[in-house]
C-alpha cells in the first residue's frame, strides 16, 4: 500500500492526514482536534491499521462501476424488504431532486455535485426542513454504497450549505370558540367525524382512521390507540403498526365525546372492518383539508395542535399531554412551548391580580 502520513496544526490544534493510492488515484483520510502532535500519532496509526485491514490481500479495490441511478434502484430493492410504502415513496421523492446525477458513476460524485442540486432546490424556494429531509434520505443511499460496495468512499452529503432560515413556521392553534365555530360549519360534511375526533383527542390522522368501535370504552371513558390506517408495502391501504412505541396508548375522553360517537354510529352504516371513520388518508387530504383551510386556515394536523394547546391553556401538565399525544416529554416541550394570545391575556390578568397594591 502506497501511503504517507502528515501532521499539521489546524484550528488551534493538530490534524493528521493519511494519503494513499487506490486504483491509480490518491485519496485521503484525516482527523483533527488533537491538542498535540504526540496525541494525534496513535490515532493516525490506528486509522492506518484499519485502512490496511480493508485493503488486505489486494493491491487495490476493484469497485463495481455503478451509476447513481443503479445505486438508487439497488437501494430501493433492498429497503423494500423491511420499509413501509410511504417510507419508500419518500426515498424516491428525494432521489428525484438529485436525478441530474443519475448517470454519474457514484465514485465520481463529489460534495460540490450535491451542493449544486441543493442550490437548485433553494432557488425553487423549498423550505429548509424539506431540503434537509431530502439530504438525510439521499445520505443513507450513499451510506448503503459505502457499506455494500466501497468502504473507503467518502459520503458527499457532508458539510452542505443551507441558508439560515429566518422565518420559522408556527403551527396554528384555534381557540375553543374558533374550534366550536369550525365544527359547527363542518357538521353536515361527510368527513366531520374525523375533524371531531382530531379536535377532541389530538390523534394523528392515521390513528383516527385506524380506530374501530372496539377501541372505544364507553364505561371507562377511554379510547385505545393500538394501530393506524396507512399505505402498506403492497401499495394498498390497511391496518399497520403505529409510529413509535409511545404511540400505543389509552387516552381519556369526555362523556360528550362518547355521546357524539354513539349518535354517529346510529346514523352511519358500520364498515366491514368495523372502523369508526372508514376513509383513506388521501381522501382526507383531498376533501377535508380544503374545507379546514377555507373555514379556519388550518390542516387536520393543526387540530391535533389545537387540542394540545387547549390542554396546556387549561393547566394540564406537559408529562400527561405527552402521554396522551404519544410523544416523549422533550418532544412535547419543543413543540408546544409557544404561548397563544389567550394564554398571554390570562397571564396578564393573573400578574395584575398578584402584584396589585391591595393595601
Amino acid at each position: 500500500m502506497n501511503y504517507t502520513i502528515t501532521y499539521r496544526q489546524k484550528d488551534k490544534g493538530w490534524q493528521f492526514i493519511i494519503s494513499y493510492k487506490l486504483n491509480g488515484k490518491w485519496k485521503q483520510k484525516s482527523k483533527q482536534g488533537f491538542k498535540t502532535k504526540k496525541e494525534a500519532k496513535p490515532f493516525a496509526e490506528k486509522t492506518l491499521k484499519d485502512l490496511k485491514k480493508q485493503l488486505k490481500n489486494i493491491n487495490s479495490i476493484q469497485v463495481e462501476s455503478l451509476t447513481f441511478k443503479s445505486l438508487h434502484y439497488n437501494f430501493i430493492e433492498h429497503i423494500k424488504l423491511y420499509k413501509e410504502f410511504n417510507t419508500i415513496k419518500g426515498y424516491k421523492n428525494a432521489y428525484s431532486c438529485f436525478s441530474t446525477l443519475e448517470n454519474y458513476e457514484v465514485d465520481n460524485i463529489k460534495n460540490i455535485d450535491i451542493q449544486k442540486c441543493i442550490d437548485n432546490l433553494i432557488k425553487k424556494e423549498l423550505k429548509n426542513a424539506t431540503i434537509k429531509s431530502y439530504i438525510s434520505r439521499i445520505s443513507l443511499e450513499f451510506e448503503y454504497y459505502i457499506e455494500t460496495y466501497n468502504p473507503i468512499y467518502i459520503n458527499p452529503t457532508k458539510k452542505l450549505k443551507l441558508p439560515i432560515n429566518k422565518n420559522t413556521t408556527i403551527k396554528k392553534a384555534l381557540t375553543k370558540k374558533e374550534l366550536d365555530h369550525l365544527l359547527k360549519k363542518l357538521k353536515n360534511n361527510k368527513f366531520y367525524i374525523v375533524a371531531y375526533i382530531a379536535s377532541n383527542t389530538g390523534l394523528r390522522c392515521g390513528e383516527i382512521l385506524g380506530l374501530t368501535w372496539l377501541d372505544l370504552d364507553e364505561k371507562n371513558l377511554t379510547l385505545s390507540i393500538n394501530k393506524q390506517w396507512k399505505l402498506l408495502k403492497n401499495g394498498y391501504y390497511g391496518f399497520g403498526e403505529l409510529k413509535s412505541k409511545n404511540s400505543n396508548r389509552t387516552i381519556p375522553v369526555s362523556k360528550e365525546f362518547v355521546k357524539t360517537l354513539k349518535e354517529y354510529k346510529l346514523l352511519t352504516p358500520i364498515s366491514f372492518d368495523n372502523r369508526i371513520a372508514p376513509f383513506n388518508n388521501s381522501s382526507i387530504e383531498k376533501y377535508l383539508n380544503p374545507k379546514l383551510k377555507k373555514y379556519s386556515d388550518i390542516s387536520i394536523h393543526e387540530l391535533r395542535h389545537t387540542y394540545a394547546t387547549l390542554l396546556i391553556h387549561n393547566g394540564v401538565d406537559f408529562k400527561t399531554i405527552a402521554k396522551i399525544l404519544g410523544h416523549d416529554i422533550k418532544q412535547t416541550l419543543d413543540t408546544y412551548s409557544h404561548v397563544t394570545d389567550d394564554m398571554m391575556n390570562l397571564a396578564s390578568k393573573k400578574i395584575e391580580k398578584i402584584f396589585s397594591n391591595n393595601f
Side-chain angles (χ1 to χ4, degrees):
M1 177 179 170
N2 194 357
Y3 70 91
T4 61
I5 303 179
T6 56
Y7 299 88
R8 66 171 183 172
Q9 287 183 296
K10 186 177 181 182
D11 298 334
K12 298 181 182 180
W14 281 82
Q15 177 190 44
F16 71 78
I17 303 170
I18 301 175
S19 302
Y20 59 97
K21 212 167 189 178
L22 177 65
N23 292 335
K25 296 180 180 179
W26 283 96
K27 295 181 178 288
Q28 289 185 334
K29 276 189 175 290
S30 64
K31 190 173 183 179
Q32 65 188 62
F34 301 100
K35 294 180 181 178
T36 64
K37 181 179 178 180
K38 184 177 180 180
E39 182 184 333
K41 279 189 173 182
F43 287 92
E45 290 168 1
K46 184 179 184 305
T47 301
L48 179 61
K49 184 179 178 181
D50 292 342
L51 188 60
K52 285 182 176 180
K53 188 176 180 181
Q54 290 176 344
L55 306 177
K56 188 178 180 181
N57 297 326
I58 55 174
N59 293 324
S60 63
I61 295 180
Q62 298 298 321
V63 181
E64 180 184 346
S65 179
L66 198 67
T67 64
F68 186 44
K69 183 177 181 179
S70 297
L71 170 64
H72 175 69
Y73 174 81
N74 292 348
F75 177 75
I76 293 298
E77 288 302 304
H78 168 63
I79 65 170
K80 275 182 181 178
L81 300 172
Y82 56 94
K83 294 292 184 182
E84 296 293 342
F85 183 89
N86 278 336
T87 302
I88 295 168
K89 185 179 178 181
Y91 280 108
K92 289 181 177 179
N93 288 340
Y95 168 77
S96 67
C97 296
F98 301 86
S99 59
T100 54
L101 305 175
E102 64 179 14
N103 293 321
Y104 283 45
E105 288 190 9
V106 180
D107 252 10
N108 294 328
I109 296 177
K110 302 292 188 292
N111 178 271
I112 186 62
D113 300 313
I114 302 295
Q115 185 66 57
K116 286 179 181 177
C117 294
I118 297 302
D119 292 346
N120 286 330
L121 296 178
I122 293 169
K123 289 174 184 176
K124 292 177 182 177
E125 299 184 350
L126 267 70
K127 293 180 180 178
N128 275 20
T130 302
I131 296 174
K132 284 179 181 179
S133 71
Y134 290 158
I135 294 171
S136 176
R137 290 187 177 104
I138 218 69
S139 178
L140 287 176
E141 298 205 19
F142 285 112
E143 289 299 328
Y144 171 75
Y145 176 75
I146 292 168
E147 182 181 339
T148 309
Y149 300 97
N150 187 354
I152 59 174
Y153 178 68
I154 298 173
N155 192 324
T157 62
K158 309 300 181 184
K159 298 181 180 178
L160 296 167
K161 294 179 181 178
L162 286 172
I164 297 172
N165 192 2
K166 296 179 181 178
N167 299 317
T168 55
T169 302
I170 299 174
K171 294 187 183 76
K172 185 175 180 180
L174 303 179
T175 64
K176 184 62 168 64
K177 185 177 180 180
E178 290 171 334
L179 177 60
D180 291 342
H181 180 68
L182 170 65
L183 292 177
K184 186 176 181 180
K185 279 198 165 188
L186 287 170
K187 188 69 176 179
N188 297 319
N189 188 281
K190 178 181 178 181
F191 300 96
Y192 166 78
I193 196 64
V194 177
Y196 179 81
I197 294 173
S199 58
N200 280 267
T201 64
L203 298 190
R204 301 175 181 94
C205 186
E207 293 172 342
I208 295 171
L209 303 183
L211 289 173
T212 63
W213 289 107
L214 292 175
D215 296 324
L216 179 64
D217 187 335
E218 298 176 24
K219 181 180 179 182
N220 295 306
L221 298 177
T222 61
L223 196 61
S224 178
I225 298 88
N226 48 55
K227 58 193 173 306
Q228 66 172 316
W229 188 257
K230 62 181 183 179
L231 275 173
L232 304 176
K233 292 178 185 178
N234 59 13
Y236 292 96
Y237 279 101
F239 290 113
E241 293 183 356
L242 293 167
K243 188 175 181 181
S244 67
K245 64 178 181 179
N246 289 331
S247 299
N248 278 281
R249 61 205 189 276
T250 299
I251 66 170
V253 293
S254 66
K255 290 180 181 178
E256 182 65 26
F257 178 83
V258 173
K259 179 185 174 184
T260 299
L261 259 64
K262 287 175 72 175
E263 290 173 353
Y264 168 79
K265 188 178 183 180
L266 289 173
L267 298 172
T268 310
I270 295 178
S271 66
F272 74 94
D273 49 19
N274 203 35
R275 284 193 295 145
I276 296 173
F279 310 115
N280 291 333
N281 305 64
S282 56
S283 300
I284 303 304
E285 189 67 33
K286 187 175 180 180
Y287 299 110
L288 179 59
N289 269 340
K291 291 293 184 184
L292 297 175
K293 183 75 175 176
K294 177 182 177 181
Y295 296 144
S296 297
D297 194 28
I298 61 166
S299 66
I300 184 71
H301 191 75
E302 284 168 320
L303 286 178
R304 171 176 166 84
H305 191 69
T306 293
Y307 172 83
T309 304
L310 288 173
L311 293 190
I312 295 167
H313 177 70
N314 285 279
V316 181
D317 65 277
F318 274 88
K319 184 177 180 180
T320 302
I321 293 170
K323 190 171 182 179
I324 291 173
L325 293 176
H327 282 174
D328 56 40
I329 296 176
K330 183 182 182 303
Q331 186 180 7
T332 305
L333 286 169
D334 289 345
T335 307
Y336 298 101
S337 59
H338 65 290
V339 180
T340 66
D341 290 340
D342 273 6
M343 291 163 73
M344 186 64 80
N345 292 334
L346 182 62
S348 297
K349 291 176 183 178
K350 287 186 176 181
I351 290 168
E352 177 66 28
K353 185 177 180 180
I354 293 168
F355 296 103
S356 293
N357 292 322
N358 296 318
F359 52 85

